[in-house]
Structures are given as structure tokens and as C-alpha cells.
Amino acid sequence: MSHVLVTGANGFVGRALCRALRDAGHTVTGLVRRADQLENGVNEWVDASADFACIAAGWAAVLQVDCVVHLAARVHVMHEDAADPDAAFRATNVDGALRVAQAAWRHGVRRLVFVSSVKALAEGDSGRPLREDDPPTPRDAYGRSKLAAEQALVRYGQETGLEVVIVRPPLVYGPQVGANFLRLMDGVWKGVPLPLASIDARRSLVYVENLADALMHCAMDPRAAHQCFHVADGEAPTVAELARSLGQHLHKPARLLRVPPGWLRLAGRLAGRSAHVDRLVGALQLDTARIRTVLDWQPPYSTDEGLAATARWYRSTH
């Protein structure tokens, strides 16, 4: 069994990954900024320094780790107040990630799994599922920082021999989910009419337990070394299908209205929310053939099973 260090271990994905690793018999240490926030059976390492500035000095000599899974990141900010968003994202997502990699290599770690994002590649699929080697065209500061981090970590791995594995998930959902997915569930639960019935574009997504399982494979499987993988569920629903399925599992039938996507785009431009509307009406499918072929990985849960679990959690809180 291995010893895995997980940064961002108290986050949405981090908790699921720590549970999966622990239940598989691995030793898990969670690196967090505040104490007493980890799953039972997970060792705690508190480092409150900004952008992992103190990780090298704080790495205990007795801490022998086989793999680091780097989840901690500066994510989307709804109301950005940084004078230079690109610099703010880069400080955490690029410089911070490099500090983690450097400290890991100096302390004998053989592999680092970097959890990036499909946003490092693109916001849409241009008619076919996105492959790992497609030319990257990130459109916002977050996506640009994730791409820069990927490139910097790959270079560092080539220079040192650290086995860097890049994982790009799409939207992640499951119990405890927040942001736009939670708002969609809120709308279905409250019976709000949603203008989604005419949207036929498909978007990949990944159930948090599927992502945790894939990350565990990337941490353990020798074949994952120096690879980049797209990870997603086996199905890519339309937003309308997603809302209907959620309604079924919430026992609250979704009220969907037929509004032409062109009208939605126009409304988005007028309201200054074009990016939000584009994520609703635009297609974004991922090609996951590489991880399925290289690692023989299959999602252990179907999308319907993931949505059912998410809906059960939601119903339990309302």
C-alpha cells in the first residue's frame, strides 16, 4: 500500500478522494490551511502559508510519501476584486503548484498528480469531443493559469524525473456540490420555469466518486506516468436531460420552457452574462478514450447513479 499526500483535502473533491484512498487501504495525509477539517482516518498537515510558500520548510523529515495529488487551487471568483486576475490566479495555481512539486521531489516523492481543468483546453468542443492533444485555447484567467501550471509541471518533470500526471475534469457534481449545479437543483426543486427545453448541446460532466476513482488510478498505476487524461462520466447529457433527470430523482418534475438558444444568447449579452449562457447552450464533450485505453479505467458509477446520489443528499437538506 502507498502513502498519498492530498492538497486541498478538505474540499469537495478532496474529501471524496481521501475516502477512496483510505477505504482502499492506503495511508493518506491531507494538507489543509485550517485544522480539524478532514475525514476520519486521514492524517492532518496544516500549512496556512500563502501559495504554499512554506511547504518545503514544513515538510517533516519523517513524512515519507509515494505520491502527491495536488487539488488545492484558486478557483472561479464570482465577483473578482483582484486588480490583475491573471497574476492572482498564477500566484496560486502556477507558482504554488511548482512549490508543491519541488518540495515533493526533494523529499523523495516519485509522482505528482495535478488536477487541472478542461478550461485549460477550451470552453467548447467545436463539433467533436475534445482530445488531450487538441490545441489549447483557454478563455479566462482561471483556464490560462491551469494551462500554465500544466506546462510548468511537465517541464519540471522532464528536468527531474518526477512522474507528473495531468488530469482534466469537466464540471464535477455529487453530494455537497455548489455553484451552478446547486442553483439548477434549487430551480428544479422550487418549480421555477427554466428556459432549457430547446437546448440540445451535450456537455460532459463527472460524478465526484468517479473522479476520485480515476485519481486513485492515476496515483497508483505505473502506466499513468507522464500522461495527460480527460476524465468524465460515460454519458454527456444535454442541460434539458440533466434537469429532467434531477427532477425525477428530486421527485419534483422539472418545468422546462422552449426558448430558442439564440434568444438566450441575446439575453445573456444584454445582461452582461454571455459566459454563463454560453455554458448552458454550448457543447463541451470530452474524449476519454486515453484513460480508458491506457489505464483500463471505466467510471464505476453511471451518470444516473451519480445524479440519484446527489438528489438524495439535496432532499436530505430540504
Side-chain angles (χ1 to χ4, degrees):
M1 292 300 159
S2 298
H3 188 169
V4 182
L5 173 66
V6 179
T7 72
N10 58 342
F12 176 46
V13 177
R15 287 183 177 277
L17 175 59
C18 287
R19 287 194 301 270
L21 289 166
R22 178 201 62 197
D23 293 348
H26 301 289
T27 301
V28 187
T29 295
L31 179 56
V32 293
R33 293 177 60 84
R34 292 180 296 277
D36 301 322
Q37 294 187 328
L38 295 181
E39 295 287 316
N40 291 333
V42 176
N43 304 315
E44 184 178 74
W45 175 7
V46 179
D47 177 10
S49 65
D51 305 325
F52 300 98
C54 297
I55 186 172
W59 196 301
V62 296
L63 183 61
Q64 301 296 314
V65 172
D66 300 295
C67 177
V68 173
V69 180
H70 186 50
L71 279 161
R74 187 176 196 260
V75 296
H76 300 291
V77 180
M78 293 299 293
H79 302 289
E80 180 63 73
D81 57 3
D84 185 344
D86 278 277
F89 277 105
R90 185 177 184 88
T92 299
N93 296 350
V94 184
D95 300 340
L98 265 178
R99 290 189 188 106
V100 172
Q102 291 163 352
W105 177 248
R106 289 169 189 162
H107 289 84
V109 177
R110 62 177 175 78
R111 177 171 296 184
L112 181 138
V113 179
F114 177 65
V115 183
S116 183
S117 167
V118 67
K119 286 181 171 293
L121 188 61
E123 296 281 353
D125 63 25
S126 301
R128 65 162 176 79
L130 293 169
R131 296 191 294 262
E132 289 85 349
D133 57 356
D134 283 332
T137 56
R139 287 174 48 184
D140 62 12
Y142 172 73
R144 289 189 290 271
S145 72
K146 283 294 192 179
L147 176 62
E150 290 182 12
Q151 295 168 338
L153 290 169
V154 167
R155 286 194 300 269
Y156 187 73
Q158 292 169 343
E159 294 167 359
T160 62
L162 178 67
E163 296 176 357
V164 174
V165 185
I166 306 295
V167 176
R168 293 186 188 137
L171 183 149
V172 185
Y173 70 97
Q176 311 295 328
V177 71
N180 289 334
F181 200 97
L182 180 58
R183 283 191 280 275
L184 176 60
M185 284 200 292
D186 285 338
V188 173
W189 180 262
K190 296 173 182 176
V192 176
L194 302 171
L196 307 176
S198 297
I199 299 175
D200 57 8
R202 298 192 173 276
R203 296 184 71 87
S204 292
L205 65 168
V206 61
Y207 178 41
V208 67
E209 300 293 344
N210 286 339
L211 178 55
D213 186 76
L215 292 175
M216 186 162 60
H217 277 71
C218 289
M220 301 300 160
D221 195 321
R223 296 172 295 180
H226 309 294
Q227 293 279 353
C228 176
F229 296 118
H230 288 170
V231 176
D233 288 353
E235 304 90 46
T238 68
V239 178
E241 290 171 347
L242 181 60
R244 291 190 184 101
S245 184
L246 284 171
Q248 176 184 352
H249 292 300
L250 290 170
H251 308 152
K252 301 273 189 176
R255 299 178 61 193
L256 303 184
L257 304 180
R258 291 197 171 276
V259 178
W263 291 13
L264 293 174
R265 286 194 171 94
L266 175 60
R269 286 196 297 271
L270 294 175
R273 298 176 65 84
S274 290
H276 293 80
V277 173
D278 287 345
R279 284 194 287 271
L280 280 176
V281 303
L284 179 58
Q285 294 190 72
L286 301 188
D287 185 332
T288 60
R290 180 179 291 180
I291 191 170
R292 294 168 187 265
T293 301
V294 175
L295 303 188
D296 302 314
W297 180 81
Q298 295 289 335
Y301 299 94
S302 69
T303 300
D304 190 65
E305 289 171 323
L307 293 176
T310 308
R312 284 195 298 272
W313 159 76
Y314 187 94
R315 292 200 315 269
S316 74
T317 64
H318 288 73

